[in-house]
Amino acid sequence: MNAVRSREDWSWRVFDKLVAAEVTLFSYVPDYGNADIIDMAAADNRTRTVLLSSEQEGVALCAGADLVGGRGVLLMQSSGVGNVPNMLSLVQGGRFPMLMIVTMRGDYGEQNPWQYPMGRAVQPVLEAMGILCIRVERDDELDQATDAAISAAFSAGQGVALILSQKFLGAKAF
Amino acid sequence: MAINLPDSTIDRRAVLPELFPDPENYLLLSGLAGAAKDTAAWTREAENLLTLGGAMGGAVSMGLGMALAAPGQQVAVITGDGELLMNIGALATVASAAPDNLTIVCIDNGQHGETGGQPGHTSRRTDLAKMAEGAGFASVMTVSAPGDLAAASRFIAESVAPRFLWARVMPGPPSAYKRNWDLAECRLRFRNSFSDRRTDGHR
């Protein structure tokens, strides 16, 4: 129960900061790690959720929102990072602001061997596409890291990924 | 497998002017290659158009982002069969989000025109209208003859959105047009124009 309560706690802090930054579209592929933020965004009348079939859609969707002055975020599990590189051409070529929140699998404490290859590749793949990676390992890093990610994306027009590690989230038990 | 090119008599270059008599009333987004050339030539690369030159598979999702973030505007995505099929799951995403201001037009020549005309799935067995229906689109229409285009234009103006038009066309070149390849510049131009449009109360 403690794990669940603390997950809700950090999710509220991130959600509140996103709302304060006028992010209205929460696009996502479901993950245990982003489930609470998605529930919050679905329940709040200032925001709406968009269920994606594949993570790359979220990159294009956020770019589309930007064209009309809107702001979106893409929430995904680390394995989804493998689906987005080509679509991130939009960010490098078009200087679209892009904010991604990646909930990690395949790092600290992972029990599923299928998660490790992509878990290890997340940061190199994103960095190869010019995305700034801001990693959170401890709860006391979260607020500052979230602020940094939001301002990099929406004030400075960068592509940025807020990477929430398994050390921070807690490894999923099977 | 035998190649079965679309049994169509439509010249792709005639499609868009007939479908949209009033392009200035839409926010337009086109997928890469032939669809981008047709759309750019048709509007002379108007400020309410953004064309993609890459990011294949992203056009429908980008249009969805525009439609959801600008609910008072009509958004139209123009894309090819190959671009659409690369991320066909986006049709389910659109149907699920159910925007009431989004039109998807697929200009289907049954082949990858940009890379030498290699046959695509729609020249074999794939039925994009059934895929859009199956994804859950509110309205779906197929055209394959020039005489259908007037009805298709009414479909775009009047049917319940999100709507999907499958425009099967003859193999043949898209419109010739040299467009701006600088995406950052095109993004700013579109955003500034949209911002002015809202200030003017233009619909």
Side-chain angles (χ1 to χ4, degrees), chain B residues 55-150:
Chain B
M56 187 166 174
V60 168
S61 304
M62 212 157 163
L64 177 61
M66 291 162 68
L68 295 177
Q73 306 284 328
Q74 287 295 322
V75 175
V77 172
I78 318 297
T79 195
D81 48 301
E83 206 276 348
L84 178 69
L85 280 162
M86 183 162 282
N87 213 350
I88 194 72
L91 292 183
T93 302
V94 168
S96 196
D100 63 4
N101 57 341
L102 181 60
T103 300
I104 311 289
V105 176
C106 180
I107 300 180
D108 172 20
N109 61 356
Q111 57 182 258
H112 293 261
E114 191 78 358
T115 53
Q118 299 88 344
H121 296 302
T122 58
S123 72
R124 295 173 174 166
R125 295 189 174 164
T126 299
D127 182 328
L128 293 175
K130 284 184 181 164
M131 295 188 87
E133 279 164 16
F137 267 63
S139 307
V140 177
M141 183 176 180
T142 303
V143 293
S144 58
D148 299 338
L149 291 173

Side-chain angles (χ1 to χ4, degrees), chain A residues 17-83:
Chain A
K17 285 178 184 294
L18 291 170
V19 170
E22 298 178 339
V23 173
T24 61
L25 292 177
F26 285 65
S27 66
Y28 71 104
V29 172
D31 180 42
Y32 178 81
N34 64 36
D36 287 333
I37 295 180
I38 296 307
D39 285 347
M40 291 164 193
D44 194 307
N45 61 16
R46 295 166 297 180
T47 55
R48 74 167 289 170
T49 59
V50 183
L51 170 62
L52 307 169
S53 308
S54 167
E55 290 81 357
Q56 59 188 308
E57 296 170 19
V59 174
L61 184 130
C62 291
D66 169 78
L67 284 175
V68 293
R71 287 181 177 177
V73 60
L74 166 59
L75 298 108
M76 61 184 153
Q77 189 193 90
S78 46
S79 51
V81 170
N83 292 341

